[in-house]
Amino acid sequence: MALRAGVDLGGTKIQAVVMDTAGQVLTSFRQPTPTAGGPRDVVAAVAAAVREAAAESGVELTTFAGVGVGSPGDVDNHAGTVTSARNLPGWTGSFPVTAVLGEELGVPVSLANDVDVATVAEYELGAGRAYSSLLGVFWGTGVGGGIVLDGKLWHGRASAGEIGHVVVKLDGARCPCGRKGCMEAYAGRGAMEARARKELADGTGTELFKIMEKRGRTRLTSGVFARALDHGDELAVTLIDRAIEALGAGIASAVNLLDVEAVIIGGGLGVRLGTPYAERIEQAMMPHLFSDYRPPAVQVAALGDLGGAIGAALLIPANRPAKARA
Ligand SMILES: [Zn+2]
């Protein structure tokens, strides 16, 4: 029963876990993602995080069955490459992650899209265990999505699940993707931060940036939003209300199309704000649901911050629980 490691490679942090064959997390290690350099530096940091997590488990890394990596950007597991990971420093072209990381660690490496692995983790081990179809909605800097239909992840032609870019308002707000009226333009943490900075410049009073500075942050993180909401900050409340309305419309539209059994809300904001806000999203879906007499279950991601890394570890086949092998 060899151990597996999984890594969630994010724009702000690298999260590594070591998992046993039953899907139990034995150890975990987290460090900031390098903000300068290029893919080689990022992959070196991934290797270091895996070594730390493995060392804490007390088991020699070379005996591991492998290391799975959930990555942003264009992921090609067959070629072992990640291309244009825009949230990672200097990662414009294609980089052979599997070869370089495998060489560095001396174990097999498997790659997949970060949102896909987080969705599969919730489906196999988290809030989605009871269902055979679900929609994972990862409410963070952007809004990512993953779709499981009849027990299988649906990839489409490669880029299915981009729920952040379903249109919730024609000719609406400009989205970070460059288009207009996407759900992410209203609900993404990045878009909300851009809006908040503009409001601040226009003279709107808000505690958001004071809280950010007090916490030693340079961004309006999920934690900053959560704190501002606790204080009843008007701008934070307005932005989050707007986000919830957009999420309700976008998720309900996806449910009208797919009729999945459950919607799992994850991501930095989704996990941080938790059940009370998932319930508000559920309420915001209702006016838009076609079969409103039979809404899907709406739940917060049960694996929290570790979901991406756990899903990445599940990429190593021998580690998959019985449900996945069926
Ligand atoms: Zn968009």
Side-chain angles (χ1 to χ4, degrees):
M1 52 155 264
L3 299 179
R4 277 82 184 166
V7 180
D8 183 13
L9 172 53
T12 53
K13 65 178 186 344
I14 294 168
Q15 174 74 60
V17 298
V18 170
M19 232 168 74
D20 66 13
T21 46
Q24 230 19 273
V25 172
L26 303 180
T27 60
S28 69
F29 181 80
R30 168 188 293 200
Q31 66 179 34
T33 307
T35 53
R40 200 163 285 279
D41 304 284
V42 174
V43 171
V46 167
V50 170
R51 280 206 197 87
E52 274 306 321
E56 276 178 45
S57 77
V59 179
E60 192 59 44
L61 180 60
T62 51
T63 69
F64 277 41
V67 177
V69 179
S71 171
D74 256 334
V75 181
D76 184 340
N77 186 41
H78 191 67
T81 56
V82 173
T83 308
S84 320
R86 282 178 302 157
N87 290 333
L88 302 174
W91 204 310
T92 46
S94 185
F95 189 80
V97 173
T98 300
V100 174
L101 188 61
E103 172 99 347
E104 179 80 24
L105 295 176
V107 290
V109 172
S110 197
L111 287 180
N113 173 271
D114 51 357
V115 175
D116 283 350
V117 299
T119 299
V120 170
E122 287 297 327
Y123 168 69
E124 291 188 3
L125 300 169
R129 273 174 311 184
Y131 310 106
S132 63
S133 67
L134 60 81
L135 176 63
V137 179
F138 296 88
W139 183 21
T141 303
V143 184
I147 304 165
V148 174
L149 298 176
D150 286 339
K152 286 197 199 103
L153 195 64
W154 174 257
H155 292 284
R157 290 175 301 156
S159 50
E162 290 292 353
I163 194 166
H165 307 283
V166 301
V167 177
V168 294
K169 187 167 185 178
L170 288 178
D171 211 25
R174 182 72 68 181
C175 181
C177 78
R179 296 165 188 84
K180 281 183 174 180
C182 300
M183 185 167 93
E184 185 172 312
Y186 299 91
R189 197 198 54 71
M192 284 197 285
E193 176 170 337
R195 174 79 183 217
R197 288 187 189 276
K198 186 172 177 303
E199 292 275 349
L200 183 74
D202 291 349
T204 306
T206 177
E207 296 289 307
L208 274 165
F209 296 93
K210 290 172 201 151
I211 296 168
M212 178 187 87
E213 280 163 24
K214 203 188 283 179
R215 293 167 78 100
R217 306 284 184 176
T218 55
R219 300 250 154 231
L220 297 182
T221 60
S222 304
V224 171
F225 269 104
R227 180 63 60 90
L229 290 172
D230 288 345
H231 288 196
D233 181 78
E234 263 183 57
L235 180 59
V237 169
T238 303
L239 289 172
I240 294 288
D241 284 355
R242 193 163 162 261
I244 286 171
E245 287 302 313
L247 287 163
I251 296 170
S253 299
V255 170
N256 289 345
L257 186 68
L258 299 171
D259 195 25
V260 288
E261 292 166 85
V263 175
I264 310 297
I265 309 283
L269 275 166
V271 168
R272 182 70 193 231
L273 298 179
T275 301
Y277 285 81
E279 285 172 356
R280 288 187 56 197
I281 292 169
E282 187 173 13
Q283 287 306 312
M285 287 165 58
M286 291 308 289
H288 307 290
L289 276 181
F290 186 71
S291 297
D292 57 0
Y293 56 90
R294 205 191 48 183
V298 177
Q299 288 173 15
V300 177
L303 304 173
D305 279 350
L306 293 183
I310 291 170
L314 289 172
L315 289 170
I316 307 302
N319 197 34
R320 290 196 169 159
K323 184 175 174 183
R325 284 198 299 271

